[in-house]
Each structure stands twice: as C-alpha cells, then as structure tokens.
Amino acid sequence: MRVSLSWLREHVDTPAELDADGLEKALVKVGLEVEELVDAGATVTGPLLVGRVESIEELQGLKKPIRYCLVDVGGEQPQGIICGARNFAEGDLVVVALPGAVLPGGFAIAARKTYGHISNGMICSGRELGVSDDHEGIIVLPPDTAKPGDEARPIVGLDDVVVDINVTPDRGYCFSVRGIARELSHSLGGAYRDPVAAVVPLEGDGTEAYPIEVLDSIACDRFTAVAVRGVDPAAATPQWIKNRLATAGIRAISLPVDITNYVMIEMGQPMHAWDLGQLTGPLVVRRARAGEKLTTLDGVTRGLDPEDIVIADATGVVSLAAVMGGTTTEVSPATVDVLFEAAHWEPRSVARTIRRHKLPSEAGKRYERGVDPQITAAACARAAALLAEHGGGTVSAGVTDVYAVVPPEPITMSVTRPSELAGVDYPAGRVLEILAMIGTQVVAAGDTLTVTPPSWRHDLNDPADLAEEVLRLDGYDRIPSVLPIAPPGRGLTATQRRRRTVGRALADAGYVETLCYPFVGAAALDALRLPEDDPRRAAVLLRNPLSDEEPQLRTTLLPPLLAALRRNLGRGLRDLALFEIGLVFLPGGPLRVAPAAGNDGPPSTEELAAVDELLPHQPWHVATVIAGDAEPAGWWGGGRPADWADAVESARAVAAAAGVELTVRAAAQAPWHPGRCAALLVGDTVVGHAGELHPAVCADLDLPRRTVAMELDLDAVPIPPVSIAPRLSSFPAALIDVALVVDAATPAAEVETALAEGAGELLESVRLFDVYSGQQLGEGRKSLAYKLTLRAADRTLTGEEALAARDAAVAVAADRLGAVLRGA
C-alpha cells in the first residue's frame, strides 16, 4: 500500500517537522512494516518550473513528428525546447526541467543542439519525473494552476514523502488512507479525522437507484448503489486525483473509474462503476451456474465455477463479484449515466475465486482480507459527489441499500489479561483508553470487560487479540526482554534414549538415516502388493494434502523409504543402506472433529486429554532397506550382495540396542518374498518382519532385484528394566565347536536356544558359523556348526567340565529337536 504523507496529513495532525525518518519510526512503532520510503523531493534536483507554451513550430523532413517550442518559464526570454509529444497546444501550462536539473535515474538536463535547434531543457512526462507510469504524452497542467516560472514540485507531488507499507493479512483495514491515518494518530497522538465521517450522507427519497436482488446473503450481506446521470463523457480526471492514484500505483483510466479507485484508496471500500445504459433488468447477486462464461475487463473469457459469486442482469453474468467486472457493462467514452456500486463480500469466497481464476486485483486484495461493511453508503455518496463535481452529472434521488450485516460478537476479557500476557503492569484505565482508541465499545463490570470490536477490525475475535492491541499501542518497546529461566528437567525419557541408541547402532552398522515425508497414496500401497483387507490400507486421510497423489498419512515406513532409495539409485548410487525411525499413523476408527478451544490461556488437562483421544495411534517404527552389495568387491576379493540375512541382522542390531532378545522365524507377509521373509518376535509377540522384497514389488517400484527391507514396531518392544552389569571373569575361556545335524526345516534360532539352555551358567556366548547340506547328510537334512564360549567366574574350567557342558547342551538339542552330533 503506497500513500503520500500529504494525503495522510489531511486526516491526522502530525508535527510540522515530521520527515521521512520520523514517519517510518512512527509506523513501525504501531507494528506496520515499512517496505520503502521515498522522499520525492530528493529524486529531482535543479530547476523544475512551470512553463507556458508560447509557440509551436512543426519541424519538417524528419522520420517522426518533432516540435520546436518556445516556452515562457518566467525569464526575460522564452526558452526554445525540442519536444516529440503531441498532446499539448499553444497556451498550455507544462512542467519544464531546465539545464542543470537531474531527473530520476541520474538523467542530467543540459542545453544541446538537436534537429538544427538549441534545446534549453525538457518538457517532462509523468514517467520522466517518476510521479506516474504515463509516457504517452507530457504533463499538461490545468489552466490557472500556476503562472510561468513557479516551482513545479508542489504541483506534481514532488515535495512529498511516499511510504510503501506491507500490509499483513490480519491488518486489511490498513489498505486505505483511512486505516493508515488512524494508526499514525495512535502512534503520534495527533487528532484523527475519519474520511467517512466527513462525507455528507445521501438521504434518498425512498426509491431505488436501481433494482438489486441478493440471492445469497451470506456471500453478500450488503449491497449499496447510487446513480449519477448526465455525466459529461469528455470530463477529465483532476490532476490531483491522477497524482494520488499514480502514487498508489494505479493507472488513470477515465473519470468514473478513477473516482472508484480513489475512494477505494481513501476509505478502503472497493467500488465498481456500471454503464446504466448497458444494464438490462435488475441486478441479481447469486452463485454462477454450470456452463456460464464471462469476458472480464482484461479481455479474457472465463469459464465460471458454481462456487463463484457473480452479478447478473437479464442478459446473463455481467461481473465476477468482488474481483473484476465484465466488458459488456463497463464505463466507456460514451457513458453518460453511471451506477456506482459498493458492496461487502464474504472474504473466503472472494479468496477462492481469485485463486481459482488466477485473477488478483486491488479490489480482491482488500475483500479477501475483510472490509468495513458499514461504509458502503458513505463510499457511494463520496463517489457520487466527486463525479457530480468534476463530471457535471446529477445525483439521482434514489438509493439502493440491501442490508443483512450480522453485528460482531462481543468478547469477554479480564482487564488484567494484557498484564498477565506481557508481564508488564497495565493499569485498568490505560487498558480502557487503548480499547476505546481502536474503536471498540467497552462495558466494564468490575474486572470483566465486554468488548464489541469495530466493524473494520475483523481480526479481533478473542481476548488474546484485544490483549495484543493493548501491548502494541502501549509500545512493544516497554516490554522488557527477559530470558526466562528454564525449569529443571529429568533429561531424556526412556523411549527417547532408546530411539537415539537404536539410531546410533544402525549408523555404526553402516546405514544412513533419512527423514521422509509421512504422506502416501493408494498407488504406493498397491505397489507393495498389500491385500485389500490388510490393516495397513486403513489410513488417515488429510483434508488439505500437499499433493493430491499422496492424501494419506503412512501406516508403514516402507513406501517413503523405498522412494528415497529409488531416488538415490536414480542419481547414480549403487550400494545403499538406508534407515528411518519415524511415526506411523494408525486410525482407531472414524475421526471426530476436535472441540473448539479459545486462546485466552493454556488449555486445561481435560481439554488436552479430549484432543488426545481424537488423534490416531502413532507408534514409532524403525525400518531399513538395502540394495546392492553388503560387502564391496576390491583387491581383497569379490564382494557379497545383500540378502535376506542382512535385513534380519539389522533387526538384531535394533534389538541389541534396545536391550531385548529377538527371535526369528519363517513367515509370509507382503511386501516380502514368501520364501525369504522372517517374522521378528520379542517373546511371543510379533514386532516386525524382515527379508527380501517380492520380485513384483521391486519391478513396480523400479528397484533392483533382491532388494531387502526390515520394519519393526519400536513401541511394541518392551523397555527392559535397569540391569546390573555382569561381573567380568579374569579366567580364560574354553572354546568348543559343535556341529549338529537337524531337519532342514528346523530354524537355527531354535537350535541355538536349546544349546544355551543345556550349557547352563557356564555358557558365555554361542555363535553359528557354518551351515552345510549335501548328499552325505541325506535328503532334507542340514548341518549347523556353532562355536560355544564357556567360562567360569571363579576358576579355570577343566576339560572335563567343558565337555560336560557341551554334552548337556547337545542332549537338550537332541531331546527337543532331534539333533544328532555330526560324526558321532
């Protein structure tokens, strides 16, 4: 929002010495973000005067029209100046930069010979002076504006300060001189004069200016219209309006349209000017119908959506409400009867229409932030008076005003709330003073205040908003910057420590951690070949997903992790081992809407518990994926490709870090290969699966064959109690190898468990180091070779004790699993 200081001074008393720096500080003090501050007087240096064109000589024989003009600039002799513009005549007042002047961009003016004449200066356009974008002709001043030789800077607005404010979405009322002047009065303490209050209201004679029918009072709760008839189509926009519009970055078009833009900048109320002669039948405010189209003022024919708010007459849609009008009813050079419209539209509908049609506009920018519904009549009266004054029209006696505005809800707040929020003592009188300053109506009952926000402050909805206003206008600089003392804590929880330990263990094993987005789509679950009744397909749907292709929250870590694996493989990597520790989201039934909670203080324990009950179950999972070689090839020999055993080993690393014993047994679970999948158990509970991915899954996901993966529910793994460190023995260990022949279907883990139970307390560790199968053992048999480490805490074991422990271990394995000592 760009506005000049001189315009603001018409509505707020400011110190005479207020300069650009002081203006910036005053605006920042009340929380407005100043993007740019331009002292217009400093952009043009040197002589810039008003001149009268005495004579014009058309130079002949040139490729383009060139004029040699004699211009009276108040000196003894008129100055000869070469000019190519055609929009002025003898006797016109113009703006002249004489030799020695420097225009914006460092363009220096000097006397020089051109086209056979000496040009002693330049007749300036608005763009050359930096006061507008108009470069179609030079600036022609109205007659009697000044006399030749007068300083031109005050006339064209170069003696002013222009401020550009970045208006945040919650401060839509500052998209106007009215709003910024009010904030400046709060900052400087000067008297404020509301431009709305200065408008003479239209009394009307009880008739309508034009018939209006509003079919959707939620989308449009107020619609005001006033007609001005008999306007002179040739009437020009006054220069002072053009200058102010140019300062705001708006191009002058025609007198009626320029007046609507001027009132919008002044009051913050967007308006539209209709050509009354082009309207047929009453105007109807409604939603668009399927198949309807509208050619907007930018010349684009747009297909309308049933959610769009439109204005239609008997011929069809004539305006995309609150955004842009249509070409069939726009004001043209032949328009003599004008209908001014000022309405109040529902902000969310306007915002959606703007984004749907990719059609931002100055009006839409204000409507989507919220405008004052109580000033539509004043805006129409102001526009009608300006058009009657400068366009020669007559304001009709009838006024149309459709009113269905719902008054703002009162807010109850404790008078001590601002003090509690900021830690600064705000007396009750000061709180009431600031609340009255921003336009609220306050009813006090003891320490309780009932506050009704003003119609232009749509951002005031609860006590915290009102408290913030007290803090803002009393001065943020009064709030001390005090670093709060952190309360003593108990460190990490047991689950947090376990997650960190597991992450370190996997990193130590060579895995690289990834952080993936928790979003998935049905296509990713289909690629994993999950059955239709698989509980992992019951996912939580997002109401507003980042991508329509991934509208669900993940129930397994594998889809995003496998996508990360594929992405890295596509970038040229070949041997990859990735892991992620993250949340999955498991719905426990239909999701309900959380209860509304205010922000006048922290939520209660009961409120937090009620919200927690609505959330899906979110356990922590850990997953690993491996592609390529688990052991690289090199001069030391050939490498080893990763297989299902590496996935199982990653699960063992997780279990070891978590301090639990993991049992592995054969299983069949999507998306793993049915013959190379293992179930992971802690006790009798299945906590995850590991193995080689199904070949079809690898093909669907464009992954290498024999890619392996593991996923484990970390929250399902119990946290072991604090254990006492074992006493370390200083006596030597006895190492004994045992090879047992068992049925080929017997899991090695069960054999290992039987050996551990049989060896008893002397067993320190047992490790499988060889698996053999062949004709020597017979069909359906295999040999498992284990290394037993035996050690006593108080003595060196004798050979007999070590053999006895081995024999006891073999006996348990033989009794439980039918194992036979190989070679026996």
Side-chain angles (χ1 to χ4, degrees), residues 728-744:
L728 298 179
S729 174
S730 60
F731 295 94
L735 304 179
I736 298 179
D737 293 343
V738 175
L740 300 177
V741 178
V742 296
D743 188 80

Side-chain angles (χ1 to χ4, degrees), residues 378-415:
C380 283
R382 174 67 163 152
L386 287 172
L387 186 57
E389 178 183 355
H390 300 287
T394 302
V395 182
S396 63
V399 177
T400 301
D401 193 4
V402 180
Y403 189 95
V405 177
V406 177
E409 289 289 332
I411 303 169
T412 302
M413 181 186 77
S414 170
V415 73

Side-chain angles (χ1 to χ4, degrees), residues 191 359 415 660 815:
L359 189 60
V415 73
V660 296
D815 181 62

Side-chain angles (χ1 to χ4, degrees), residues 439-612:
T440 64
Q441 298 177 2
V442 184
V443 177
D447 287 343
T448 302
L449 305 179
T450 302
V451 184
T452 303
S455 56
W456 60 86
R457 291 299 300 270
H458 303 278
D459 58 314
L460 302 180
N461 300 302
D462 49 55
D465 296 330
L466 299 175
E468 183 183 0
E469 287 298 289
V470 175
L471 272 59
R472 180 175 70 89
L473 296 181
D474 190 71
Y476 287 131
D477 54 336
R478 289 195 60 235
I479 302 175
S481 298
V482 178
L483 186 65
I485 299 174
R490 298 180 179 177
L492 299 176
T493 64
T495 55
Q496 289 172 331
R497 285 195 299 270
R498 180 173 65 180
R499 287 199 298 271
R500 294 194 180 189
T501 301
V502 168
R504 283 194 296 268
L506 290 174
D508 290 344
Y511 291 83
V512 177
E513 185 173 13
T514 65
L515 294 174
C516 302
Y517 284 117
F519 311 122
V520 297
L525 300 179
D526 292 340
L528 294 182
R529 303 299 176 103
L530 300 185
E532 290 299 325
D533 59 350
D534 193 299
R536 287 171 291 178
R537 283 190 176 272
V540 176
L541 284 173
L542 297 172
R543 177 171 294 180
N544 190 21
L546 294 179
S547 169
D548 292 337
E549 296 179 356
E550 295 179 332
Q552 302 172 343
L553 290 173
R554 65 190 178 192
T555 55
T556 166
L557 298 182
L558 290 180
L561 190 57
L562 291 172
L565 179 69
R566 181 178 65 247
R567 189 177 305 112
N568 282 274
L569 289 170
R571 283 160 173 72
L573 301 177
R574 287 295 174 264
D575 304 323
L576 289 168
L578 307 180
F579 82 94
E580 180 178 11
I581 301 175
L583 294 172
V584 297
F585 305 85
L586 309 177
L591 295 180
R592 293 170 291 163
V593 178
N599 52 12
D600 188 22
S604 64
T605 304
E606 293 75 14
E607 290 175 329
L608 290 175
V611 172
D612 284 341

Side-chain angles (χ1 to χ4, degrees), residues 236-327:
T237 302
Q239 188 64 40
W240 60 274
I241 291 183
K242 288 184 177 181
N243 291 344
R244 287 182 169 178
L245 290 180
T247 298
I250 297 177
R251 178 174 56 90
I253 299 174
S254 65
L255 179 59
V257 175
D258 293 344
I259 286 174
T260 62
N261 288 331
Y262 180 84
V263 174
M264 176 182 68
I265 299 298
E266 182 181 54
M267 296 184 179
Q269 172 63 59
M271 299 186 66
H272 185 64
W274 305 81
D275 186 338
L276 264 174
Q278 301 299 320
L279 293 176
T280 304
L283 291 177
V284 180
V285 177
R286 59 173 173 82
R287 299 283 178 173
R289 296 167 185 155
E292 286 187 315
K293 295 183 178 181
L294 172 68
T295 302
T296 47
L297 292 175
D298 57 357
V300 178
T301 300
R302 304 177 186 277
L304 302 178
D305 187 274
E307 291 297 316
D308 292 334
I309 312 169
V310 298
I311 303 175
D313 67 359
T315 65
V317 178
V318 292
S319 175
L320 191 57
V323 180
M324 190 173 287
T327 55

Side-chain angles (χ1 to χ4, degrees), residues 88-156:
F88 65 98
E90 293 180 355
D92 283 346
L93 292 178
V94 295
V95 178
V96 180
L98 295 177
V102 179
L103 303 187
F107 184 66
I109 305 300
R112 61 191 180 94
K113 186 174 182 179
T114 180
Y115 299 108
H117 295 272
I118 298 296
S119 181
N120 288 312
M122 185 173 74
I123 304 175
C124 301
S125 69
R127 184 191 295 177
E128 289 162 344
L129 294 178
V131 297
S132 74
D133 291 331
D134 186 10
H135 197 57
E136 295 181 358
I138 53 94
I139 297 174
V140 178
L141 302 176
D144 303 324
T145 300
K147 63 180 185 298
D150 286 351
E151 177 64 43
R153 285 177 177 83
I155 300 173
V156 297

Side-chain angles (χ1 to χ4, degrees), residues 627-640:
D629 287 343
E631 297 177 3
W635 59 265
W636 53 84
R640 182 181 65 82

